[in-house]
Amino acid sequence: MESREPLPRVLIVEDDTWIATMLEDIVRSAGLEVVGPVSTLREAVRIASSERLDAALLDIGLGGTEVYAAADVLEERNIPFAFVTGRSEAEIELLHRGRPVWSKPFLQQQIAQGLKDLIARR
């Protein structure tokens, strides 16, 4: 039997259930494996620190907290990520500006192609 490469794994961090479900569908339809989705910073940091990941989609605002601690862990591990947010780039923490920002409402094709590009650059 031929062994197949595992699918690239994408962490989804999003506290809005409807948006998280939509992102899951987009990631799966792009032929990628979904990790999560998770809706808390604590869970995002835990997974970002310990799981095999190839990319991540991060909503910046998670209830009353922001996702930057998880972004820091991903950066330390050289795991590419993009922010999927309603915020403008000017509202993003200075340290993380320059990362891809896909604004809500977003287009399915934008997310699918953007993820493939992130993973290819890894």
Side-chain angles (χ1 to χ4, degrees):
M1 269 187 109
E2 209 181 295
S3 69
R4 294 190 318 173
E5 285 286 313
L7 292 176
R9 302 181 82 217
V10 178
L11 171 62
I12 298 173
V13 180
E14 172 61 65
D15 63 346
D16 181 303
T17 305
W18 186 80
I19 294 172
T21 301
M22 189 170 30
L23 289 171
E24 275 186 273
D25 291 344
I26 292 169
V27 170
R28 283 196 178 99
S29 70
L32 307 168
E33 182 181 337
V34 172
V35 179
V38 299
S39 60
T40 66
L41 178 60
R42 176 185 221 157
E43 192 71 358
V45 168
R46 185 189 68 74
I47 290 173
S49 301
S50 62
E51 296 276 333
R52 179 183 69 80
L53 299 170
D54 297 287
L57 296 174
L58 308 176
D59 181 21
I60 293 174
L62 300 174
T65 63
E66 294 184 327
V67 77
Y68 298 120
D72 293 340
V73 171
L74 292 166
E75 188 169 333
E76 286 169 19
R77 293 186 63 202
N78 281 334
I79 297 169
F81 61 90
F83 293 113
V84 180
T85 184
R87 298 184 188 190
S88 70
E89 188 164 354
E91 296 174 280
I92 294 173
E93 187 177 81
L94 195 54
L95 180 65
H96 292 292
R97 285 190 197 154
R99 294 277 177 189
V101 178
W102 299 326
S103 298
K104 297 174 186 174
F106 44 77
L107 302 174
Q108 177 173 344
Q109 187 58 35
Q110 175 190 31
I111 301 285
Q113 188 58 54
L115 276 171
K116 290 177 181 179
D117 292 346
L118 278 177
I119 291 167
R121 280 189 248 142
R122 188 158 189 236

